Amino acid sequence: MKTRILFILPVFFAIIVLVFIFPAFPVLSISNRKNPSEKIHFENGARGFIISYTHSVNKGRVHDYYRREGKNLILYRTDFVSYGAGMPEIEETPGAVFYQAGETFTMEYERNVGTSFLLSVGVIAEHSITVGNDEFFLKDFFEPKTSLVLKIKRISLIELLYKQRRPN
């Protein structure tokens, strides 16, 4: 009996340790490109999220919709309120569907942006991220002009619980 306990106890301990350190939880990770320890995670963001900003030319709000497919992020929709310089052109995006509903223009398409992409926190753009029903302004977490890396990654239970700056 004593030998059995001596065997079971280390196995049980090893399983508990693995549960806490094995990266098993997918999250949307946003980190400072120059200082990766400065980061936030969104648990629900691994399914999809919206990046919004004020366009520098037409001053309207733009909403880019992303979803995850495997390890890649797919930009699949852009909503905007004013057409102008820098906005997506339907002729330049094969297979895109363009329509207008009220004052909002929408363009639906499929653009694989890869496993990660960079975004700089704008001074005037008011970059925000919407995850589920919650919108968070990036300037509340990072200094303006900070270059950020957005990606889906798996983190451990310990990191999920303790080592992140929580956006809530």
Side-chain angles (χ1 to χ4, degrees):
M1 180 72 167
K2 196 174 192 181
T3 307
R4 188 178 214 183
I5 290 174
L6 289 175
F7 174 75
I8 291 174
L9 203 55
V11 170
F12 177 74
F13 181 72
I15 290 170
I16 295 299
V17 168
L18 277 175
V19 165
F20 278 94
I21 65 170
F22 185 75
F25 300 92
V27 297
L28 169 62
S29 174
I30 303 175
S31 60
N32 182 329
R33 188 170 64 111
K34 292 183 180 177
N35 181 8
S37 65
E38 186 179 323
K39 62 187 168 195
I40 56 176
H41 295 143
F42 294 90
E43 297 166 46
N44 294 337
R47 287 178 278 214
F49 56 94
I50 304 166
I51 298 288
S52 301
Y53 57 93
T54 301
H55 193 272
S56 62
V57 176
N58 66 32
K59 305 300 183 201
R61 215 53 191 149
V62 178
H63 309 280
D64 288 331
Y65 292 73
Y66 294 86
R67 71 173 179 266
R68 177 180 76 163
E69 284 187 11
K71 293 182 179 183
N72 291 326
L73 292 166
I74 306 297
L75 173 60
Y76 67 94
R77 175 177 161 182
T78 299
D79 291 348
F80 50 98
V81 295
S82 179
Y83 228 102
M87 298 310 303
E89 293 285 342
I90 194 160
E91 296 83 15
E92 297 172 359
T93 311
V97 175
F98 180 81
Y99 57 92
Q100 182 178 1
E103 295 182 9
T104 302
F105 296 97
T106 297
M107 193 161 127
E108 293 181 351
Y109 51 101
E110 300 277 325
R111 182 183 309 152
N112 183 343
V113 296
T115 58
S116 66
F117 65 93
L118 298 176
L119 175 71
S120 183
V121 179
V123 176
I124 298 170
E126 292 288 320
H127 284 98
S128 68
I129 183 161
T130 302
V131 177
N133 294 323
D134 299 316
E135 182 177 25
F136 303 95
F137 286 87
L138 294 178
K139 69 178 183 180
D140 293 340
F141 302 97
F142 302 97
E143 292 293 320
K145 298 183 182 179
T146 301
S147 181
L148 303 176
V149 178
L150 286 83
K151 66 181 173 181
I152 304 296
K153 67 183 256 184
R154 292 186 179 277
I155 63 172
S156 68
L157 184 58
I158 287 176
E159 191 172 7
L160 184 66
L161 296 174
Y162 299 109
K163 294 185 178 181
Q164 65 176 317
R165 291 173 41 195
R166 293 198 178 264
N168 298 356

